[in-house]
Amino acid sequence: SSQSIIDKAKLYIQENYAKELSLESVADQVFLHPVYFSKLFKQYAGVNFTDYLTRTRMNKAIELLAQRKHKMYEISRMIGYANSKYFNRVFKQFTGCTPREYSRIHFGLAGMDRDE
Protein backbone atom coordinates (compact mmCIF):
# COMPACT_ATOMS: atom_id res chain seq x y z
CA SER A 1 0.00 0.00 0.00
CA SER A 2 1.01 3.63 -0.34
CA GLN A 3 1.25 4.03 3.43
CA SER A 4 3.71 1.13 3.73
CA ILE A 5 5.83 2.59 0.92
CA ILE A 6 6.02 5.92 2.74
CA ASP A 7 6.75 4.11 6.02
CA LYS A 8 9.67 2.38 4.29
CA ALA A 9 10.89 5.71 2.95
CA LYS A 10 10.66 7.29 6.41
CA LEU A 11 12.58 4.40 7.92
CA TYR A 12 15.25 4.76 5.24
CA ILE A 13 15.53 8.47 6.07
CA GLN A 14 15.76 7.71 9.82
CA GLU A 15 18.58 5.25 9.17
CA ASN A 16 20.46 7.34 6.61
CA TYR A 17 19.88 11.01 7.55
CA ALA A 18 23.64 11.53 7.96
CA LYS A 19 24.27 10.68 4.32
CA GLU A 20 23.70 12.93 1.37
CA LEU A 21 20.03 12.24 0.73
CA SER A 22 17.87 13.63 -2.02
CA LEU A 23 14.28 13.15 -3.02
CA GLU A 24 15.52 11.17 -6.01
CA SER A 25 17.75 8.85 -3.96
CA VAL A 26 14.97 8.03 -1.49
CA ALA A 27 12.44 7.58 -4.32
CA ASP A 28 14.87 5.08 -5.87
CA GLN A 29 14.89 3.12 -2.60
CA VAL A 30 11.13 2.58 -2.83
CA PHE A 31 11.11 2.16 -6.62
CA LEU A 32 8.99 5.22 -7.42
CA HIS A 33 9.40 8.12 -9.82
CA PRO A 34 10.57 11.19 -7.82
CA VAL A 35 7.58 13.35 -8.81
CA TYR A 36 5.07 10.67 -7.79
CA PHE A 37 7.05 9.90 -4.64
CA SER A 38 7.04 13.58 -3.68
CA LYS A 39 3.25 13.81 -3.95
CA LEU A 40 2.73 10.52 -2.13
CA PHE A 41 5.15 11.49 0.64
CA LYS A 42 3.40 14.80 1.24
CA GLN A 43 0.00 13.08 1.25
CA TYR A 44 0.93 10.34 3.74
CA ALA A 45 3.63 12.00 5.85
CA GLY A 46 1.84 15.34 6.12
CA VAL A 47 4.99 17.30 5.25
CA ASN A 48 7.15 17.47 2.17
CA PHE A 49 10.30 15.37 1.86
CA THR A 50 12.74 18.21 2.54
CA ASP A 51 10.91 19.34 5.68
CA TYR A 52 10.81 15.76 6.97
CA LEU A 53 14.53 15.27 6.36
CA THR A 54 15.34 18.60 8.01
CA ARG A 55 13.16 17.81 11.02
CA THR A 56 14.82 14.40 11.36
CA ARG A 57 18.29 15.95 11.24
CA MET A 58 17.45 18.78 13.64
CA ASN A 59 15.92 16.42 16.20
CA LYS A 60 19.08 14.31 16.06
CA ALA A 61 21.18 17.46 16.45
CA ILE A 62 19.24 18.32 19.60
CA GLU A 63 19.89 14.81 20.96
CA LEU A 64 23.59 15.20 20.23
CA LEU A 65 23.69 18.65 21.86
CA ALA A 66 22.16 17.14 24.99
CA GLN A 67 25.01 14.63 25.20
CA ARG A 68 27.42 17.55 25.75
CA LYS A 69 30.37 15.76 24.18
CA HIS A 70 30.56 16.98 20.59
CA LYS A 71 31.75 20.19 18.99
CA MET A 72 29.23 22.02 16.84
CA TYR A 73 31.04 21.24 13.59
CA GLU A 74 31.15 17.56 14.58
CA ILE A 75 27.39 17.52 15.14
CA SER A 76 26.93 19.24 11.79
CA ARG A 77 28.83 16.47 10.02
CA MET A 78 27.18 13.71 12.07
CA ILE A 79 23.73 14.73 10.87
CA GLY A 80 24.61 15.23 7.21
CA TYR A 81 25.74 18.85 6.87
CA ALA A 82 29.29 19.28 5.59
CA ASN A 83 29.04 23.06 6.05
CA SER A 84 28.67 23.99 9.73
CA LYS A 85 27.58 27.55 8.93
CA TYR A 86 24.72 26.19 6.86
CA PHE A 87 23.86 23.82 9.73
CA ASN A 88 23.76 26.81 12.12
CA ARG A 89 21.40 28.67 9.78
CA VAL A 90 19.05 25.70 9.35
CA PHE A 91 19.11 24.99 13.09
CA LYS A 92 18.20 28.60 13.84
CA GLN A 93 15.32 28.49 11.35
CA PHE A 94 14.11 25.26 12.96
CA THR A 95 14.44 26.22 16.65
CA GLY A 96 14.62 30.01 16.67
CA CYS A 97 18.14 30.06 18.08
CA THR A 98 21.64 28.90 17.18
CA PRO A 99 22.89 25.52 18.42
CA ARG A 100 25.04 27.26 21.03
CA GLU A 101 22.13 29.37 22.27
CA TYR A 102 19.90 26.29 22.32
CA SER A 103 22.45 24.42 24.43
CA ARG A 104 22.71 27.27 26.89
CA ILE A 105 18.95 27.69 27.21
CA HIS A 106 17.94 24.03 27.37
CA PHE A 107 20.98 22.31 28.82
CA GLY A 108 22.63 25.10 30.83
CA LEU A 109 25.89 24.83 28.94
CA ALA A 110 27.48 28.17 29.66
CA GLY A 111 30.95 26.93 28.76
CA MET A 112 30.09 25.41 25.43
CA ASP A 113 32.03 27.78 23.21
CA ARG A 114 33.50 25.04 21.05
CA ASP A 115 32.66 25.97 17.49
CA GLU A 116 35.74 24.76 15.70
Side-chain angles (χ1 to χ4, degrees), residues 4 9-10 15 19 27 33 40 42 47-48 55-56 64 68 88 94 99-100 106 110-111 116:
S4 66
K10 289 164 73 175
E15 294 174 346
K19 297 177 183 173
H33 187 278
L40 205 62
K42 172 82 173 169
V47 294
N48 69 37
R55 183 174 67 201
T56 300
L64 292 167
R68 308 164 93 173
N88 283 331
F94 185 78
R100 178 178 289 113
H106 296 278
E116 317 214 39

Side-chain angles (χ1 to χ4, degrees), residues 30-47:
V30 293
F31 308 104
L32 292 177
H33 187 278
V35 173
Y36 180 68
F37 172 71
S38 177
K39 290 177 185 176
L40 205 62
F41 193 91
K42 172 82 173 169
Q43 180 182 353
Y44 286 90
V47 294

Side-chain angles (χ1 to χ4, degrees), residues 1 8 12 16-17 20 22 26 39 41 43 54 57 65 72 86 90 92-93 111 116:
S1 75
K8 286 179 188 173
Y12 182 80
N16 295 281
Y17 63 85
E20 192 172 317
S22 67
V26 178
K39 290 177 185 176
F41 193 91
Q43 180 182 353
T54 300
R57 286 175 167 167
L65 285 170
M72 296 301 172
Y86 180 69
V90 173
K92 187 168 185 171
Q93 288 173 342
E116 317 214 39

Side-chain angles (χ1 to χ4, degrees), residues 13-14 20-21 25 40 45 56 63 66 71 74 86 96 100-102 112 114:
I13 293 166
Q14 293 291 329
E20 192 172 317
L21 291 181
S25 67
L40 205 62
T56 300
E63 287 177 30
K71 295 179 182 180
E74 292 172 333
Y86 180 69
R100 178 178 289 113
E101 292 166 344
Y102 191 94
M112 201 168 165
R114 301 169 11 163

